[in-house]
mmCIF file of all heavy atoms in Angstrom:
data_model
loop_
_atom_site.group_PDB
_atom_site.id
_atom_site.type_symbol
_atom_site.label_atom_id
_atom_site.label_comp_id
_atom_site.label_asym_id
_atom_site.label_seq_id
_atom_site.Cartn_x
_atom_site.Cartn_y
_atom_site.Cartn_z
ATOM 1 N N MET B 155 -34.760 19.302 -34.346
ATOM 2 C CA MET B 155 -33.452 18.704 -34.612
ATOM 3 C C MET B 155 -33.369 17.307 -34.049
ATOM 4 O O MET B 155 -33.763 17.043 -32.916
ATOM 5 C CB MET B 155 -32.347 19.558 -33.946
ATOM 6 C CG MET B 155 -31.957 20.726 -34.827
ATOM 7 S SD MET B 155 -30.424 20.374 -35.630
ATOM 8 C CE MET B 155 -29.718 22.012 -35.811
ATOM 9 N N ALA B 156 -32.893 16.414 -34.817
ATOM 10 C CA ALA B 156 -32.717 15.048 -34.346
ATOM 11 C C ALA B 156 -31.464 14.959 -33.486
ATOM 12 O O ALA B 156 -30.783 15.934 -33.261
ATOM 13 C CB ALA B 156 -32.602 14.115 -35.516
ATOM 14 N N ASP B 157 -31.168 13.786 -33.033
ATOM 15 C CA ASP B 157 -30.001 13.610 -32.217
ATOM 16 C C ASP B 157 -28.730 13.896 -33.010
ATOM 17 O O ASP B 157 -28.644 13.614 -34.185
ATOM 18 C CB ASP B 157 -29.938 12.184 -31.649
ATOM 19 C CG ASP B 157 -29.966 11.156 -32.738
ATOM 20 O OD1 ASP B 157 -30.662 11.377 -33.760
ATOM 21 O OD2 ASP B 157 -29.278 10.135 -32.600
ATOM 22 N N GLU B 158 -27.805 14.479 -32.320
ATOM 23 C CA GLU B 158 -26.567 14.905 -33.000
ATOM 24 C C GLU B 158 -25.709 13.676 -33.295
ATOM 25 O O GLU B 158 -25.272 12.981 -32.383
ATOM 26 C CB GLU B 158 -25.838 15.884 -32.086
ATOM 27 C CG GLU B 158 -25.179 16.994 -32.871
ATOM 28 C CD GLU B 158 -24.578 18.023 -31.937
ATOM 29 O OE1 GLU B 158 -25.317 18.825 -31.387
ATOM 30 O OE2 GLU B 158 -23.360 17.991 -31.750
ATOM 31 N N ARG B 159 -25.457 13.501 -34.569
ATOM 32 C CA ARG B 159 -24.631 12.377 -34.971
ATOM 33 C C ARG B 159 -23.203 12.831 -35.156
ATOM 34 O O ARG B 159 -22.952 13.889 -35.710
ATOM 35 C CB ARG B 159 -25.145 11.809 -36.287
ATOM 36 C CG ARG B 159 -26.372 10.933 -36.114
ATOM 37 C CD ARG B 159 -25.970 9.489 -35.909
ATOM 38 N NE ARG B 159 -27.126 8.652 -35.646
ATOM 39 C CZ ARG B 159 -27.283 7.452 -36.239
ATOM 40 N NH1 ARG B 159 -26.417 7.039 -37.105
ATOM 41 N NH2 ARG B 159 -28.309 6.730 -35.949
ATOM 42 N N LYS B 160 -22.313 11.984 -34.740
ATOM 43 C CA LYS B 160 -20.879 12.296 -34.962
ATOM 44 C C LYS B 160 -20.587 12.125 -36.427
ATOM 45 O O LYS B 160 -21.009 11.172 -37.073
ATOM 46 C CB LYS B 160 -20.031 11.317 -34.174
ATOM 47 C CG LYS B 160 -19.467 11.969 -32.908
ATOM 48 C CD LYS B 160 -18.859 10.972 -32.037
ATOM 49 C CE LYS B 160 -17.430 10.901 -31.838
ATOM 50 N NZ LYS B 160 -16.953 9.850 -31.023
ATOM 51 N N LYS B 161 -19.787 13.057 -36.937
ATOM 52 C CA LYS B 161 -19.393 12.951 -38.318
ATOM 53 C C LYS B 161 -18.248 11.967 -38.442
ATOM 54 O O LYS B 161 -17.487 11.740 -37.527
ATOM 55 C CB LYS B 161 -18.955 14.328 -38.818
ATOM 56 C CG LYS B 161 -19.211 14.519 -40.288
ATOM 57 C CD LYS B 161 -19.003 15.989 -40.666
ATOM 58 C CE LYS B 161 -17.555 16.399 -40.564
ATOM 59 N NZ LYS B 161 -16.835 16.094 -41.791
ATOM 60 N N CYS B 162 -18.177 11.391 -39.617
ATOM 61 C CA CYS B 162 -17.097 10.442 -39.889
ATOM 62 C C CYS B 162 -15.740 11.101 -39.662
ATOM 63 O O CYS B 162 -15.535 12.251 -40.020
ATOM 64 C CB CYS B 162 -17.235 9.959 -41.331
ATOM 65 S SG CYS B 162 -15.952 8.785 -41.794
ATOM 66 N N ALA B 163 -14.823 10.358 -39.062
ATOM 67 C CA ALA B 163 -13.518 10.926 -38.711
ATOM 68 C C ALA B 163 -12.626 11.094 -39.923
ATOM 69 O O ALA B 163 -11.577 11.734 -39.826
ATOM 70 C CB ALA B 163 -12.842 10.023 -37.680
ATOM 71 N N HIS B 164 -13.031 10.549 -41.036
ATOM 72 C CA HIS B 164 -12.279 10.748 -42.249
ATOM 73 C C HIS B 164 -12.384 12.220 -42.673
ATOM 74 O O HIS B 164 -13.470 12.783 -42.734
ATOM 75 C CB HIS B 164 -12.842 9.853 -43.358
ATOM 76 C CG HIS B 164 -12.002 9.782 -44.565
ATOM 77 N ND1 HIS B 164 -11.866 10.842 -45.433
ATOM 78 C CD2 HIS B 164 -11.221 8.783 -45.079
ATOM 79 C CE1 HIS B 164 -11.038 10.499 -46.419
ATOM 80 N NE2 HIS B 164 -10.643 9.252 -46.225
ATOM 81 N N ALA B 165 -11.228 12.815 -42.913
ATOM 82 C CA ALA B 165 -11.197 14.266 -43.129
ATOM 83 C C ALA B 165 -12.028 14.654 -44.340
ATOM 84 O O ALA B 165 -12.647 15.724 -44.352
ATOM 85 C CB ALA B 165 -9.759 14.710 -43.318
ATOM 86 N N ALA B 166 -12.048 13.818 -45.345
ATOM 87 C CA ALA B 166 -12.711 14.179 -46.582
ATOM 88 C C ALA B 166 -14.142 13.642 -46.636
ATOM 89 O O ALA B 166 -14.820 13.800 -47.648
ATOM 90 C CB ALA B 166 -11.904 13.671 -47.759
ATOM 91 N N CYS B 167 -14.562 13.029 -45.574
ATOM 92 C CA CYS B 167 -15.883 12.387 -45.593
ATOM 93 C C CYS B 167 -16.867 13.222 -44.810
ATOM 94 O O CYS B 167 -16.555 13.761 -43.747
ATOM 95 C CB CYS B 167 -15.776 10.969 -45.007
ATOM 96 S SG CYS B 167 -17.317 10.065 -45.110
ATOM 97 N N ASP B 168 -18.024 13.329 -45.323
ATOM 98 C CA ASP B 168 -19.052 14.156 -44.709
ATOM 99 C C ASP B 168 -20.205 13.335 -44.169
ATOM 100 O O ASP B 168 -21.229 13.860 -43.762
ATOM 101 C CB ASP B 168 -19.594 15.134 -45.753
ATOM 102 C CG ASP B 168 -19.368 16.565 -45.302
ATOM 103 O OD1 ASP B 168 -18.834 16.761 -44.204
ATOM 104 O OD2 ASP B 168 -19.705 17.487 -46.062
ATOM 105 N N CYS B 169 -20.043 12.040 -44.164
ATOM 106 C CA CYS B 169 -21.141 11.179 -43.747
ATOM 107 C C CYS B 169 -21.207 11.094 -42.218
ATOM 108 O O CYS B 169 -20.187 11.302 -41.556
ATOM 109 C CB CYS B 169 -20.918 9.756 -44.282
ATOM 110 S SG CYS B 169 -20.498 9.764 -46.045
ATOM 111 N N PRO B 170 -22.354 10.826 -41.677
ATOM 112 C CA PRO B 170 -22.448 10.603 -40.248
ATOM 113 C C PRO B 170 -21.803 9.262 -39.890
ATOM 114 O O PRO B 170 -21.979 8.271 -40.610
ATOM 115 C CB PRO B 170 -23.958 10.561 -39.991
ATOM 116 C CG PRO B 170 -24.593 10.219 -41.309
ATOM 117 C CD PRO B 170 -23.651 10.724 -42.370
ATOM 118 N N ALA B 171 -21.074 9.261 -38.810
ATOM 119 C CA ALA B 171 -20.389 8.037 -38.410
ATOM 120 C C ALA B 171 -21.367 7.042 -37.826
ATOM 121 O O ALA B 171 -22.415 7.403 -37.274
ATOM 122 C CB ALA B 171 -19.297 8.374 -37.391
ATOM 123 N N ASP B 172 -20.990 5.792 -37.918
ATOM 124 C CA ASP B 172 -21.812 4.760 -37.322
ATOM 125 C C ASP B 172 -21.794 4.891 -35.794
ATOM 126 O O ASP B 172 -20.809 5.322 -35.212
ATOM 127 C CB ASP B 172 -21.280 3.372 -37.704
ATOM 128 C CG ASP B 172 -22.021 2.792 -38.864
ATOM 129 O OD1 ASP B 172 -23.127 3.311 -39.174
ATOM 130 O OD2 ASP B 172 -21.545 1.820 -39.480
ATOM 131 N N GLU B 173 -22.846 4.492 -35.199
ATOM 132 C CA GLU B 173 -22.893 4.563 -33.727
ATOM 133 C C GLU B 173 -21.865 3.620 -33.136
ATOM 134 O O GLU B 173 -21.764 2.484 -33.522
ATOM 135 C CB GLU B 173 -24.310 4.160 -33.249
ATOM 136 C CG GLU B 173 -24.676 4.858 -31.959
ATOM 137 C CD GLU B 173 -26.138 4.593 -31.605
ATOM 138 O OE1 GLU B 173 -26.997 4.683 -32.497
ATOM 139 O OE2 GLU B 173 -26.379 4.301 -30.433
ATOM 140 N N GLY B 174 -21.065 4.171 -32.236
ATOM 141 C CA GLY B 174 -20.026 3.371 -31.639
ATOM 142 C C GLY B 174 -18.772 3.275 -32.470
ATOM 143 O O GLY B 174 -17.834 2.597 -32.127
ATOM 144 N N SER B 175 -18.757 4.003 -33.584
ATOM 145 C CA SER B 175 -17.583 4.006 -34.430
ATOM 146 C C SER B 175 -17.226 5.420 -34.804
ATOM 147 O O SER B 175 -18.096 6.300 -34.814
ATOM 148 C CB SER B 175 -17.847 3.184 -35.693
ATOM 149 O OG SER B 175 -16.752 3.275 -36.584
ATOM 150 N N LYS B 176 -15.998 5.639 -35.123
ATOM 151 C CA LYS B 176 -15.574 6.979 -35.526
ATOM 152 C C LYS B 176 -15.765 7.194 -37.021
ATOM 153 O O LYS B 176 -15.696 8.299 -37.502
ATOM 154 C CB LYS B 176 -14.086 7.179 -35.196
ATOM 155 C CG LYS B 176 -13.837 7.374 -33.709
ATOM 156 C CD LYS B 176 -12.358 7.410 -33.414
ATOM 157 C CE LYS B 176 -11.702 8.702 -33.979
ATOM 158 N NZ LYS B 176 -10.282 8.744 -33.652
ATOM 159 N N TYR B 177 -16.035 6.093 -37.726
ATOM 160 C CA TYR B 177 -16.109 6.191 -39.172
ATOM 161 C C TYR B 177 -17.458 5.658 -39.666
ATOM 162 O O TYR B 177 -18.162 4.944 -38.966
ATOM 163 C CB TYR B 177 -14.974 5.392 -39.818
ATOM 164 C CG TYR B 177 -13.619 5.847 -39.352
ATOM 165 C CD1 TYR B 177 -12.978 5.256 -38.303
ATOM 166 C CD2 TYR B 177 -13.003 6.942 -39.982
ATOM 167 C CE1 TYR B 177 -11.718 5.676 -37.892
ATOM 168 C CE2 TYR B 177 -11.755 7.380 -39.573
ATOM 169 C CZ TYR B 177 -11.119 6.754 -38.526
ATOM 170 O OH TYR B 177 -9.899 7.196 -38.119
ATOM 171 N N CYS B 178 -17.768 6.023 -40.877
ATOM 172 C CA CYS B 178 -19.055 5.620 -41.416
ATOM 173 C C CYS B 178 -18.977 4.236 -42.058
ATOM 174 O O CYS B 178 -19.975 3.590 -42.265
ATOM 175 C CB CYS B 178 -19.513 6.645 -42.459
ATOM 176 S SG CYS B 178 -18.546 6.650 -43.988
ATOM 177 N N SER B 179 -17.741 3.821 -42.390
ATOM 178 C CA SER B 179 -17.619 2.541 -43.085
ATOM 179 C C SER B 179 -16.216 2.004 -42.891
ATOM 180 O O SER B 179 -15.316 2.700 -42.403
ATOM 181 C CB SER B 179 -17.891 2.742 -44.573
ATOM 182 O OG SER B 179 -16.948 3.646 -45.101
ATOM 183 N N ALA B 180 -16.038 0.763 -43.301
ATOM 184 C CA ALA B 180 -14.735 0.149 -43.184
ATOM 185 C C ALA B 180 -13.719 0.855 -44.086
ATOM 186 O O ALA B 180 -12.541 0.910 -43.788
ATOM 187 C CB ALA B 180 -14.826 -1.325 -43.540
ATOM 188 N N TYR B 181 -14.201 1.389 -45.178
ATOM 189 C CA TYR B 181 -13.309 2.114 -46.075
ATOM 190 C C TYR B 181 -12.681 3.297 -45.355
ATOM 191 O O TYR B 181 -11.470 3.486 -45.384
ATOM 192 C CB TYR B 181 -14.104 2.588 -47.285
ATOM 193 C CG TYR B 181 -13.263 3.466 -48.186
ATOM 194 C CD1 TYR B 181 -12.488 2.905 -49.209
ATOM 195 C CD2 TYR B 181 -13.257 4.840 -48.017
ATOM 196 C CE1 TYR B 181 -11.692 3.707 -50.003
ATOM 197 C CE2 TYR B 181 -12.483 5.646 -48.836
ATOM 198 C CZ TYR B 181 -11.699 5.090 -49.820
ATOM 199 O OH TYR B 181 -10.912 5.869 -50.610
ATOM 200 N N CYS B 182 -13.517 4.071 -44.722
ATOM 201 C CA CYS B 182 -13.020 5.273 -44.013
ATOM 202 C C CYS B 182 -12.154 4.851 -42.846
ATOM 203 O O CYS B 182 -11.196 5.549 -42.504
ATOM 204 C CB CYS B 182 -14.185 6.119 -43.557
ATOM 205 S SG CYS B 182 -14.976 7.002 -44.913
ATOM 206 N N GLU B 183 -12.463 3.753 -42.223
ATOM 207 C CA GLU B 183 -11.658 3.291 -41.107
ATOM 208 C C GLU B 183 -10.272 2.970 -41.565
ATOM 209 O O GLU B 183 -9.278 3.203 -40.884
ATOM 210 C CB GLU B 183 -12.325 2.084 -40.468
ATOM 211 C CG GLU B 183 -11.741 1.774 -39.104
ATOM 212 C CD GLU B 183 -12.576 0.748 -38.367
ATOM 213 O OE1 GLU B 183 -13.635 0.340 -38.877
ATOM 214 O OE2 GLU B 183 -12.163 0.373 -37.265
ATOM 215 N N GLY B 184 -10.168 2.448 -42.756
ATOM 216 C CA GLY B 184 -8.855 2.092 -43.293
ATOM 217 C C GLY B 184 -8.119 3.304 -43.825
ATOM 218 O O GLY B 184 -6.907 3.388 -43.774
ATOM 219 N N LYS B 185 -8.887 4.264 -44.331
ATOM 220 C CA LYS B 185 -8.259 5.454 -44.901
ATOM 221 C C LYS B 185 -8.257 6.621 -43.955
ATOM 222 O O LYS B 185 -7.731 7.690 -44.264
ATOM 223 C CB LYS B 185 -9.048 5.854 -46.163
ATOM 224 C CG LYS B 185 -8.909 4.888 -47.301
ATOM 225 C CD LYS B 185 -7.689 5.197 -48.130
ATOM 226 C CE LYS B 185 -7.661 4.327 -49.375
ATOM 227 N NZ LYS B 185 -6.486 4.633 -50.228
ATOM 228 N N GLY B 186 -8.811 6.429 -42.793
ATOM 229 C CA GLY B 186 -9.005 7.519 -41.874
ATOM 230 C C GLY B 186 -7.729 8.231 -41.479
ATOM 231 O O GLY B 186 -7.750 9.417 -41.198
ATOM 232 N N GLN B 187 -6.634 7.511 -41.433
ATOM 233 C CA GLN B 187 -5.402 8.120 -41.003
ATOM 234 C C GLN B 187 -4.682 8.830 -42.128
ATOM 235 O O GLN B 187 -3.737 9.572 -41.941
ATOM 236 C CB GLN B 187 -4.453 7.056 -40.400
ATOM 237 C CG GLN B 187 -5.059 6.475 -39.133
ATOM 238 C CD GLN B 187 -4.257 5.261 -38.664
ATOM 239 O OE1 GLN B 187 -3.188 4.994 -39.172
ATOM 240 N NE2 GLN B 187 -4.788 4.531 -37.703
ATOM 241 N N THR B 188 -5.169 8.593 -43.325
ATOM 242 C CA THR B 188 -4.539 9.224 -44.462
ATOM 243 C C THR B 188 -5.328 10.462 -44.861
ATOM 244 O O THR B 188 -6.547 10.442 -44.895
ATOM 245 C CB THR B 188 -4.500 8.272 -45.666
ATOM 246 O OG1 THR B 188 -4.169 6.980 -45.220
ATOM 247 C CG2 THR B 188 -3.494 8.723 -46.706
ATOM 248 N N THR B 189 -4.598 11.494 -45.136
ATOM 249 C CA THR B 189 -5.296 12.715 -45.588
ATOM 250 C C THR B 189 -5.434 12.723 -47.090
ATOM 251 O O THR B 189 -4.484 12.948 -47.828
ATOM 252 C CB THR B 189 -4.516 13.959 -45.141
ATOM 253 O OG1 THR B 189 -4.248 13.883 -43.746
ATOM 254 C CG2 THR B 189 -5.313 15.224 -45.436
ATOM 255 N N THR B 190 -6.638 12.458 -47.515
ATOM 256 C CA THR B 190 -6.902 12.447 -48.938
ATOM 257 C C THR B 190 -7.891 13.547 -49.293
ATOM 258 O O THR B 190 -8.613 14.041 -48.432
ATOM 259 C CB THR B 190 -7.477 11.089 -49.364
ATOM 260 O OG1 THR B 190 -8.524 10.726 -48.480
ATOM 261 C CG2 THR B 190 -6.418 10.018 -49.362
ATOM 262 N N ILE B 191 -7.947 13.884 -50.543
ATOM 263 C CA ILE B 191 -8.846 14.947 -50.985
ATOM 264 C C ILE B 191 -10.247 14.383 -51.172
ATOM 265 O O ILE B 191 -11.238 15.032 -50.855
ATOM 266 C CB ILE B 191 -8.340 15.552 -52.284
ATOM 267 C CG1 ILE B 191 -6.904 16.034 -52.142
ATOM 268 C CG2 ILE B 191 -9.227 16.721 -52.725
ATOM 269 C CD1 ILE B 191 -6.239 16.321 -53.467
ATOM 270 N N ASP B 192 -10.324 13.180 -51.683
ATOM 271 C CA ASP B 192 -11.604 12.619 -51.994
ATOM 272 C C ASP B 192 -11.943 11.460 -51.071
ATOM 273 O O ASP B 192 -11.055 10.740 -50.613
ATOM 274 C CB ASP B 192 -11.643 12.136 -53.432
ATOM 275 C CG ASP B 192 -11.534 13.252 -54.411
ATOM 276 O OD1 ASP B 192 -12.198 14.280 -54.235
ATOM 277 O OD2 ASP B 192 -10.708 13.121 -55.344
ATOM 278 N N CYS B 193 -13.226 11.310 -50.830
ATOM 279 C CA CYS B 193 -13.683 10.146 -50.104
ATOM 280 C C CYS B 193 -14.341 9.209 -51.088
ATOM 281 O O CYS B 193 -15.170 9.616 -51.897
ATOM 282 C CB CYS B 193 -14.663 10.567 -49.004
ATOM 283 S SG CYS B 193 -15.342 9.156 -48.103
ATOM 284 N N ASP B 194 -13.982 7.972 -51.014
ATOM 285 C CA ASP B 194 -14.481 6.994 -51.980
ATOM 286 C C ASP B 194 -15.263 5.882 -51.281
ATOM 287 O O ASP B 194 -15.270 4.730 -51.724
ATOM 288 C CB ASP B 194 -13.314 6.387 -52.733
ATOM 289 C CG ASP B 194 -13.550 6.375 -54.233
ATOM 290 O OD1 ASP B 194 -14.646 6.774 -54.647
ATOM 291 O OD2 ASP B 194 -12.694 5.917 -54.982
ATOM 292 N N CYS B 195 -15.898 6.245 -50.217
ATOM 293 C CA CYS B 195 -16.534 5.216 -49.389
ATOM 294 C C CYS B 195 -17.800 4.663 -50.051
ATOM 295 O O CYS B 195 -18.304 3.639 -49.674
ATOM 296 C CB CYS B 195 -16.869 5.776 -48.018
ATOM 297 S SG CYS B 195 -18.146 7.039 -48.009
ATOM 298 N N GLY B 196 -18.278 5.374 -51.043
ATOM 299 C CA GLY B 196 -19.443 4.869 -51.755
ATOM 300 C C GLY B 196 -20.742 5.565 -51.394
ATOM 301 O O GLY B 196 -21.781 5.311 -51.989
ATOM 302 N N CYS B 197 -20.687 6.427 -50.406
ATOM 303 C CA CYS B 197 -21.896 7.179 -50.081
ATOM 304 C C CYS B 197 -22.249 8.147 -51.197
ATOM 305 O O CYS B 197 -21.362 8.621 -51.884
ATOM 306 C CB CYS B 197 -21.660 7.955 -48.784
ATOM 307 S SG CYS B 197 -21.007 6.949 -47.458
ATOM 308 N N PRO B 198 -23.502 8.407 -51.365
ATOM 309 C CA PRO B 198 -23.939 9.332 -52.434
ATOM 310 C C PRO B 198 -23.339 10.701 -52.283
ATOM 311 O O PRO B 198 -23.119 11.416 -53.251
ATOM 312 C CB PRO B 198 -25.467 9.399 -52.267
ATOM 313 C CG PRO B 198 -25.842 8.327 -51.338
ATOM 314 C CD PRO B 198 -24.627 7.865 -50.591
ATOM 315 N N SER B 199 -23.082 11.110 -51.055
ATOM 316 C CA SER B 199 -22.556 12.465 -50.828
ATOM 317 C C SER B 199 -21.052 12.534 -50.984
ATOM 318 O O SER B 199 -20.458 13.600 -50.954
ATOM 319 C CB SER B 199 -22.957 12.932 -49.438
ATOM 320 O OG SER B 199 -22.594 11.976 -48.497
ATOM 321 N N CYS B 200 -20.434 11.368 -51.150
ATOM 322 C CA CYS B 200 -18.975 11.320 -51.239
ATOM 323 C C CYS B 200 -18.546 10.772 -52.599
ATOM 324 O O CYS B 200 -19.116 9.815 -53.103
ATOM 325 C CB CYS B 200 -18.409 10.442 -50.144
ATOM 326 S SG CYS B 200 -18.662 11.087 -48.518
ATOM 327 N N GLY B 201 -17.519 11.322 -53.145
ATOM 328 C CA GLY B 201 -16.862 10.790 -54.310
ATOM 329 C C GLY B 201 -17.809 10.535 -55.490
ATOM 330 O O GLY B 201 -17.602 9.622 -56.251
ATOM 331 N N SER B 202 -18.804 11.370 -55.594
ATOM 332 C CA SER B 202 -19.743 11.193 -56.728
ATOM 333 C C SER B 202 -19.268 12.035 -57.897
ATOM 334 O O SER B 202 -19.950 12.939 -58.324
ATOM 335 C CB SER B 202 -21.155 11.541 -56.313
ATOM 336 O OG SER B 202 -21.141 12.728 -55.585
ATOM 337 N N ASN B 203 -18.083 11.703 -58.367
ATOM 338 C CA ASN B 203 -17.533 12.472 -59.479
ATOM 339 C C ASN B 203 -17.946 11.849 -60.809
ATOM 340 O O ASN B 203 -17.145 11.423 -61.613
ATOM 341 C CB ASN B 203 -15.994 12.509 -59.404
ATOM 342 C CG ASN B 203 -15.556 13.226 -58.136
ATOM 343 O OD1 ASN B 203 -16.315 13.963 -57.557
ATOM 344 N ND2 ASN B 203 -14.327 13.030 -57.750
ATOM 345 N N ILE B 204 -19.190 11.800 -61.048
ATOM 346 C CA ILE B 204 -19.668 11.184 -62.264
ATOM 347 C C ILE B 204 -19.785 12.253 -63.359
ATOM 348 O O ILE B 204 -20.497 13.227 -63.145
ATOM 349 C CB ILE B 204 -21.046 10.514 -62.055
ATOM 350 C CG1 ILE B 204 -20.961 9.605 -60.807
ATOM 351 C CG2 ILE B 204 -21.449 9.703 -63.282
ATOM 352 C CD1 ILE B 204 -22.319 9.066 -60.378
HETATM 353 ZN ZN1 ZN Q 385 -17.649 9.184 -47.259
HETATM 354 ZN ZN1 ZN Q 386 -16.779 8.162 -43.977
#
């Protein structure tokens, strides 16, 4: 097992958070306080409703 990464604080986001940050991206940081169903941060694991 590698080092344990903190998950993004965005409720709908499953990405690992950046080191020193609670969120994986600026998008999640802006949306982090809002409870949304989908994450649209652009990560492949998020919001890939293609
Ligand atoms: Zn995400
Ligand atoms: Zn995120």
Side-chain angles (χ1 to χ4, degrees):
M155 276 259 210
D157 58 323
E158 219 174 282
R159 282 269 176 136
K160 257 170 111 182
K161 211 168 69 85
C162 180
H164 191 290
C167 185
D168 241 357
C169 312
D172 262 346
E173 210 172 315
S175 175
K176 286 173 70 178
Y177 302 95
C178 71
S179 62
Y181 174 88
C182 287
E183 195 169 356
K185 291 274 188 179
Q187 295 172 10
T188 320
T189 307
T190 48
I191 305 166
D192 294 314
C193 177
D194 226 359
C195 68
C197 309
S199 52
C200 295
S202 43
N203 296 343
I204 310 171

